[in-house]
Amino acid sequence: MLSSEGLPAWLTPVARAARTIQPLQLSRFLPPENGTGRQSAVLVLFGEGERGPELLLMERAGSLRSHAGQPSFPGGALDPGDGDPRTDGPLRAALREAEEETGLDPRGVQLFGVLPRLFIPVSDFVVTPVLGWWRTPTPVGVVDPNETARVFTVPVADLTDPANRATAVHPSGHRGPAFLVESALVWGFTAGVIDRVLHFAGWERPWDRERQVPLDWRA
């Protein structure tokens, strides 16, 4: 299900990074060694819009029990029908969840890489980020408002713009990268993955890491 054939040249460094990046280069939160955790996957989908390369994101509904209101990649837990979580299961889950949440046609998506599995302690998810190229874009939008508040794309140029970058400070004291784009504050797991992809693809630009954005108590 993975192929890098025919990718646009600008995605070459991302595909290269996916083959070489090590888990601890992505995050210090790695899956429990005892194998526990809810297996899940997200689709990190690159497309090409009017302003060049872009990423597909969505904003989770504010009524959800976990990560309510947060911008995120499309994705969710693996179903039994997705297959083996150690092989193609995450690939099928990422496409299935993206279709269910945004309405995209998975036939227009070319999967070209998989990043190391990471762990989200607050929700007990073991997440496989699956990289995709939106070879044939299709209309997207909110499919179920009980799950998704909105679906949007963000130009990579905006994500690399130092003016849109900051350090998010959680009430717990945890700090992490954040992006202020498309009237949204992207933080947490999603921002962490974007930050590392930009870095290892060689797209990152120097930014002010002392610029802080406090997250309120509901975050």
Side-chain angles (χ1 to χ4, degrees):
M1 294 180 66
L2 293 177
S3 172
S4 58
E5 184 176 350
L7 291 179
W10 58 264
L11 267 179
T12 299
V14 180
R16 185 187 308 118
R19 294 192 296 268
T20 59
I21 195 169
Q22 298 299 307
L24 283 174
Q25 292 178 306
L26 274 182
S27 173
R28 62 186 177 91
F29 296 109
L30 302 182
E33 294 183 359
N34 61 9
T36 59
R38 302 171 63 193
Q39 297 295 325
S40 62
V42 295
L43 181 62
V44 184
L45 183 59
F46 290 90
E48 190 146 11
E50 294 181 358
R51 295 180 52 207
E54 60 186 17
L55 269 178
L56 178 68
L57 295 177
M58 50 174 271
E59 185 176 307
R60 294 169 59 83
S63 58
L64 293 175
R65 286 187 299 173
S66 63
H67 309 292
Q70 271 189 256
S72 68
F73 300 116
L78 269 68
D79 284 348
D82 293 325
D84 192 337
R86 296 166 298 180
T87 56
D88 289 345
L91 308 185
R92 294 191 181 92
L95 288 175
R96 175 182 55 74
E97 286 283 343
E99 181 178 15
E100 292 176 0
E101 292 175 332
T102 74
L104 66 75
D105 186 343
R107 294 173 297 181
V109 176
Q110 177 180 338
L111 302 181
F112 65 90
V114 175
L115 298 179
R117 295 187 305 158
L118 303 175
F119 186 54
I120 303 180
V122 68
S123 53
D124 198 38
F125 276 118
V126 175
V127 187
T128 301
V130 179
L131 305 177
W133 158 237
W134 211 353
R135 187 183 62 250
T136 307
T138 50
V140 292
V142 174
V143 176
D144 183 354
N146 292 317
E147 292 191 2
T148 308
R150 66 171 173 144
V151 177
F152 58 101
T153 56
V154 181
V156 171
D158 288 350
L159 294 168
T160 59
D161 186 343
N164 296 332
R165 303 215 53 181
T167 296
V169 182
H170 193 274
S172 66
H174 176 74
R175 296 166 178 258
F179 300 84
L180 295 93
V181 290
E182 300 297 322
S183 302
L185 173 62
V186 183
W187 62 282
F189 173 85
T190 303
V193 172
I194 294 173
D195 173 78
R196 293 297 80 196
V197 168
L198 296 181
H199 175 78
F200 286 103
W203 295 345
E204 185 179 33
R205 296 165 58 189
W207 56 281
D208 182 5
R209 297 174 186 271
E210 298 302 316
R211 181 190 182 196
Q212 297 183 2
V213 177
L215 302 169
D216 69 28
W217 63 272
R218 293 169 298 179

